[in-house]
Amino acid sequence: MIPKLIAEARKIVFKFGSNTLADKEGRINPVFLEEFADQAAAFIKTGKQIVIVSSGAQVAGLSTMDKWARKRDIHYRQALCAVGQVELMDAWKRAFKKSGIHIAQILLTGDDFNDPIRTLNMRNTLFTLVDEGIIPIINENDTVSVEEIKIGENDTLAAQSAILWSADLLILFSDIDGLYNKNPKEYPDAELISEVRDIEAVKKNITIGNTNSFGTGGIATKLEAAKRVIPYGIPTIIANGSRPRVLEALAAGTQSGTAFLA
């Protein structure tokens, strides 16, 4: 089903979490970004359009300002995001430069989606950028939106962006292979659920858990994101973003994941 969804989709929103973008040292992984950019460029040549929702500002900030690593004051968290957002965008810019593709930065807050004028401007900007062959990279404006500095909120942002752009498909990259009946980081016998047609029904039969990113916003917010876009006819895929050549593998059917069908 996943290869079929990708093949039929023209407008795709990709969401990357900090865990997917970071290397083992907790720094932004340029090799991963370059690999994805190469695959994305190949998709664009086939006529597909791409929007990216990217976390990683705090990770990039800590990579630059490691002397702030132990500071927990919210002002330092926001300052890290301010520093890190520059580094994050620079990393994406360098990754796509090899393919001759330009990127654009869009920073949003929840208030932006509640204002009809801002929403119209956001939508027009997205369409203009994509139509001109530029890849918009969206992130929360964490420097001014305190309540958004928490794990998983960019899943919601990705869903809202997919609806705003009238996307054909939403792909949420995680550090696990998809939706399981229970936390695979805790239970070796956890089983992957490859296809979901009724989110509420499947939620009653799985155990999300309460440890690691799986239960602190990781899988829970991805379920909510899928639930949010399905009424708009936008299917969703959850897959492990750290797998080699992940986009190509999903399109070829050689990598597993979970498909939420509209």
Side-chain angles (χ1 to χ4, degrees), residues 74-75 78 109 141-150:
I74 188 61
H75 300 302
Q78 291 177 306
T109 67
N141 192 353
D142 290 333
T143 60
V144 300
S145 188
V146 176
E147 70 276 10
E148 299 300 332
I149 304 180
K150 54 185 178 179

Side-chain angles (χ1 to χ4, degrees):
M1 179 55 69
I2 288 178
K4 183 175 184 291
L5 291 176
I6 294 176
E8 293 178 350
R10 179 170 179 260
K11 300 165 65 177
I12 306 175
V13 174
F14 294 94
K15 183 266 176 178
F16 293 91
S18 297
N19 288 340
T20 304
L21 297 177
D23 59 21
K24 294 180 180 179
E25 284 71 42
R27 299 175 181 272
I28 296 297
N29 186 347
V31 175
F32 172 81
L33 265 62
E34 290 176 9
E35 183 180 88
F36 177 79
D38 179 61
Q39 297 169 82
F43 264 46
I44 291 172
K45 289 180 180 179
T46 68
K48 295 188 184 297
Q49 297 180 328
I50 288 174
V51 168
I52 294 174
V53 176
S54 177
S55 302
Q58 282 202 55
V59 170
L62 284 172
S63 298
T64 305
M65 307 295 293
D66 58 350
K67 65 180 181 179
W68 290 352
R70 296 183 181 277
K71 295 184 181 294
R72 292 293 178 262
D73 181 271
I74 188 61
H75 300 302
Y76 276 99
R77 296 294 98 187
Q78 291 177 306
L80 276 173
C81 289
V83 173
Q85 191 63 38
V86 176
E87 300 298 324
L88 177 63
M89 293 303 296
D90 184 59
W92 277 116
K93 178 182 178 181
R94 283 186 274 111
F96 277 104
K97 185 177 182 180
K98 294 184 177 181
S99 301
I101 295 174
H102 292 287
I103 64 166
Q105 174 182 254
I106 300 179
L107 295 177
L108 302 172
T109 67
D111 287 343
D112 294 322
F113 288 94
N114 296 325
D115 185 300
I117 300 301
R118 293 188 202 175
T119 300
L120 178 61
N121 289 335
M122 288 151 50
R123 180 178 169 86
N124 289 339
T125 298
L126 277 174
F127 273 92
T128 301
L129 288 170
V130 173
D131 288 346
E132 291 298 325
I134 298 169
I135 295 181
I137 299 183
I138 303 171
N139 197 3
E140 287 280 355
N141 192 353
D142 290 333
T143 60
V144 300
S145 188
V146 176
E147 70 276 10
E148 299 300 332
I149 304 180
K150 54 185 178 179
I151 297 173
E153 282 306 306
N154 268 359
D155 292 322
T156 301
L157 176 59
Q160 292 174 313
S161 299
I163 294 168
L164 182 71
W165 186 43
S166 301
D168 300 317
L169 179 64
L170 172 62
I171 299 181
L172 304 173
F173 286 123
S174 178
D175 58 352
I176 56 174
D177 290 334
L179 177 65
Y180 286 78
N181 61 339
K182 50 188 173 182
N183 191 342
K185 296 180 179 179
E186 297 180 34
Y187 303 97
D189 62 339
E191 298 178 358
L192 179 69
I193 301 171
S194 61
E195 190 173 302
V196 175
R197 293 181 181 272
D198 188 332
I199 295 176
E200 289 304 316
V202 81
K203 284 171 68 175
K204 296 177 181 178
N205 297 306
I206 64 174
T207 303
I208 290 180
N210 55 14
T211 63
N212 299 319
S213 61
F214 187 82
T216 57
I219 204 65
T221 55
K222 286 174 177 58
L223 284 173
E224 291 304 311
K227 183 179 176 181
R228 184 183 291 257
V229 300
I230 288 299
Y232 291 87
I234 305 172
T236 300
I237 296 170
I238 298 178
N240 192 331
S242 62
R243 301 297 187 192
R245 309 292 296 185
V246 56
L247 189 48
E248 294 175 352
L250 288 171
T254 57
Q255 178 174 325
S256 59
T258 300
F260 296 82
L261 305 179

